[in-house]
Amino acid sequence: MWQEDFESAPARDDGVETSTISGIPLQPLYTKEDLPRREEELPGRFPYTRGIHPSGYRGRLWTMRQFSGFATAEETNRRYKYLLANGQTGLSVAFDMPTLMGQDSDAPTSRGEVGHCGVAIDSLADMETLFSGIPLGEITTSMTINSPAAILLCMYIAVAEKQGVPAAALGGTLQNDILKEFIAQKEFIFPPAPSMRLVVDSIEYCAKEVPKWNTISISGYHIREAGSTAVQELAFTLADGMAYVDACLERGMHIDDFAPRLSFFFDAHIDFFEEIAKFRAARRIWARYMRERYGAQQERSWKLRFHTQTAGVSLTAQQPELNIARTAIEAMAAVLGGTQSLHTNAMDEVLGLPTDKAARIALRTQQMLAYESGAANTIDPLGGSYFVEALTDEVEREAEAYFRRIDEIGGVIPAIEAGFFQKEIADAAFRYQQELEQKRRLMVGVNEFMVDEDVPIDILRIDPRLESQQAERLREVRRKRDQARCTNALNSLRKAAAGTDNLMPYILESVRAYATEGEIMQSLIDVFGIYTEKAVV
Amino acid sequence: MTTPYIGWASDEDLSDKSNQKDLIEKFRSGDIRALARMITLVERRDPSIRQLEESLRDAHKPARVTGFTGAPGTGKSTIVDAVVALLRKQDTPVAVLATDPNSPFTGGAILGDRIRMQRHALDPKVFIRSMGARGHLGGLSLASREAIRLLGSFGFAEVILETVGVGQSELEVAAVADTTVVVLTPNLGDSVQMIKAGILEIASIFVVNKADIEGHARAVTELRSMLHLAPKGGWKPPIVATVAVRGEGIDELWEAVLAHRRHLETTGLAEEQAARRLRNETAEVAAELARERTRRALEEDPGLSERLLRDGTPYRTAEEILRTRVDN
Amino acid sequence: MASTAVRPVRIIVAKVGLDGHDRGVKVVARALRDAGYEVIYTGLRQTPEMVVDAALQEDAQVIGLSIHSGAHMTLFPAVVAELKRRKATDIVVFGGGIIPDDDIATLKKQGVAEIFTPGTPLQDIVGWLRKRFPDGGG
């Protein structure tokens, strides 16, 4: 058979690993023997391994959604208007670190961070500026924020109210995925239990009041960027998804009332086939669990929809032009994996703020995939490939093994508290780094094929005056607002947090009363406390 | 170039009396860095520590020592954090010595216990020190005892010792602490480990943490019946239920620690314990001194190899070294 | 107890700034441990005051800082200033992150001993420490 031929044929001897980048061992050849035996799978049909739409990209191309953020609300507002005037229909908001961490721009630990990685939002006043002159009923907005997600969503609803747009007409996505914060990105504030309550509160509230809103984007991206393997990314993300489902069911919600609004967000890394297998396995696993474990009746509840971003960690500061090729390979994997929307990184992102040219090339890469490569013409073109089908099954098997381990620990939150995920990820990251140092993995331009060059790193310079100006704006808001109404709203919020009411109406009232993000968070911290993670190195 | 604080940046020489004097003065003036430096010397078993300790004898103030031990994941650090908070509310200065194992292969270590105690960062009356168990093998108790004496003299009336894991180190903690608290969770897997390691015998107090999760009542019952099998003269270790993340049960825990202290004092056990420990410590220090002088004697003897080869056995030379180098 | 000729170099490894990207800092912490150093990992979101306080209590000779939020020009010099205030300028500070050359030059002038940018092999960091502390542990 082929094995004997292979053994007797010459073999390369360069010491480079032949397993996937995540360490899944691979055969040199896959044949009919390796094809899993199962009923034929078809796109648009359960378990959706080959895609959730029967017409694939022939029906509709993926959405090309590029994420960006600027320093001030005014500047970002101008940028949004420019994008909308040029035909873009969806906005994507990046917030600065103090906003992401739920603190005001004048907090002592905000120094040096205001407006650096996105826009600074302290109160409804900033949100009004951010969306000034933009009809919220006609666009969709994606907001990347987690611990304080409920507050920012309420600010958005409040701006819409002022525009006369009812909440029911609002469309968009809130990241709102606190579990992956504990696992990987570490932008947590409250302990896990009250954090989960806030997530469920927002899901429950939106199911009734903002039905077109995607209330959560369950994210593997940050898990992968923190150094996990592809299987860990997949398994931990889906486990998180199920933890949210469990929490909503516990609240008394019906599965088909919220499941269709759950969406996912994955990383597209450089190991091409492994990534495609990951996306295919994700859909199959999710559909199976939703139908079989949770008894969802509606097909919409079974379908896993996801956004993809190419891997920031795969980019290199050395010979940065190579990143264009890397991003193209990763984007191709996302497309062949059937993503619903895609962000392609700019080649110079690792060096700082993308130049206009680099940002344009990133978008053009997607357009080339859509219109030149032919990748969009055939649905799931790799379906039936001996290798891809076998790898899809292998990824699924390994994910299942992780589900069992998580169950043994007692579920996602106990596993977080025990440092399980954190340890697994740190181990994987360290293993990969060592493989690089030993040249068992090569990164072109980094540990092999280097050139002597001087690549200037250029980061976005934020005018230091911005911080004091934003603080001044904040003082003005505090000075002008109806202080009694604000204090009352925060007191009611605190009282509600100590009970079991859905907190969304209380947060909304605080927002309307121009309580600042930091004040609202502090009121909740008074009741919930602050979480410190166990050291897992 | 910057001026080093004390000449210890990379080539310190603490046999130099002026450096020692400087260090002692800073220590007496309440300089936290001098304390930290002296603990390093203790950890490293630097010979200079004996003179330093000797010259600080007049400043000696005893510290109360509570040891916390338990398997990883039991919430030990969170409990320690809550106890520190409680003591700080009473304005008691408190020091925490947290021990982690070093890699047996490289000697390196990652010490991460500070993370759980961040709310006390910047409180000048809380001192946290991570100790790698490097090279202590059997010497942890000696180093900790000296560190505790330094902390007491510096003004930390309460010292908390925290060790991770199940093994040798927590038995040594019991040899140092006045009161030993063993932390368990309702998942009794870890208590079975404890019994194997003989930990039930060393506990003054048991904490069953995470009292809010299922299986708690059963865990307490099982523990109680185990204790029944291993009775301890005069003191019956109480079992305290805590939910450390919410700070529940911490007052009761501290009450139990105080009760144990009263028990030690009223029964005279405290003095007995102190004397026994000093005796052990004296033996350890004497052995350490002898070892060191022996090593020096061997190094300084040019005719050693020849003589040893002639004798064929080490005994005569060993006796001689003890007589000439250690006796005087 | 045999007194060892090698003295362990103690290194505080801290994440300053508000971001939570700790992949790099953890990989570096492990590499330093494996090289024989005693690493005291203080976790995320450390203020300069907290970092220096920990370094003093732990009697560390080195502080390693990691940042990804873009606030390095505020926070790194703040650590150096705090060391000055606490009369501990003998403690060596190094850092890592996406940091432009101009900033690196400025930071070095302000007292940061070395900056490692993305893609630096771990062995380079270890090698730098060994050179800096030739008779130290590791």
Side-chain angles (χ1 to χ4, degrees), chain A residues 301-342:
Chain A
S301 302
W302 304 339
K303 294 177 184 171
L304 177 142
R305 296 169 299 133
F306 67 98
H307 171 72
T308 306
Q309 181 169 341
T310 56
V313 284
S314 72
L315 305 187
T316 62
Q318 298 81 356
Q319 305 178 51
E321 301 82 3
L322 301 179
N323 294 329
I324 298 175
R326 290 194 180 95
T327 297
I329 293 168
E330 294 164 358
M332 181 66 124
V335 167
L336 296 183
T339 192
Q340 271 62 58
S341 60
L342 180 60

Side-chain angles (χ1 to χ4, degrees), chain B residues 2 5 12 33 36-37 40 45 102 106 108-111 114 118 122 126-130 134-135 291, chain C residues 1 7-8 10 33-34 36-42 46 53-54 56-59 87-91:
Chain B
T2 54
Y5 167 67
E12 87 287 358
R33 241 194 136 187
R37 182 59 185 178
T40 304
R45 311 305 313 140
N102 287 61
T106 65
I110 295 179
L111 312 170
R114 298 187 74 88
Q118 292 199 349
L122 305 184
V126 176
F127 180 90
I128 303 166
R129 179 61 179 248
S130 320
R134 169 196 290 256
R291 230 179 347 254
Chain C
M1 187 69 32
R7 70 176 281 213
R10 291 168 66 89
R33 175 199 60 192
D34 290 351
Y37 294 102
E38 273 190 6
V39 176
I40 296 118
Y41 179 58
T42 62
Q46 299 289 297
D53 223 39
L56 296 185
Q57 293 187 4
E58 298 287 358
D59 192 27
K87 297 194 178 62
T89 48
D90 54 304
I91 296 177

Side-chain angles (χ1 to χ4, degrees), chain A residues 361-380:
Chain A
I361 291 173
L363 179 62
R364 293 285 178 267
T365 304
Q366 292 203 39
Q367 291 159 340
M368 282 163 60
L369 283 175
Y371 301 109
E372 289 186 23
S373 75
N377 296 336
T378 302
I379 305 165
D380 188 32

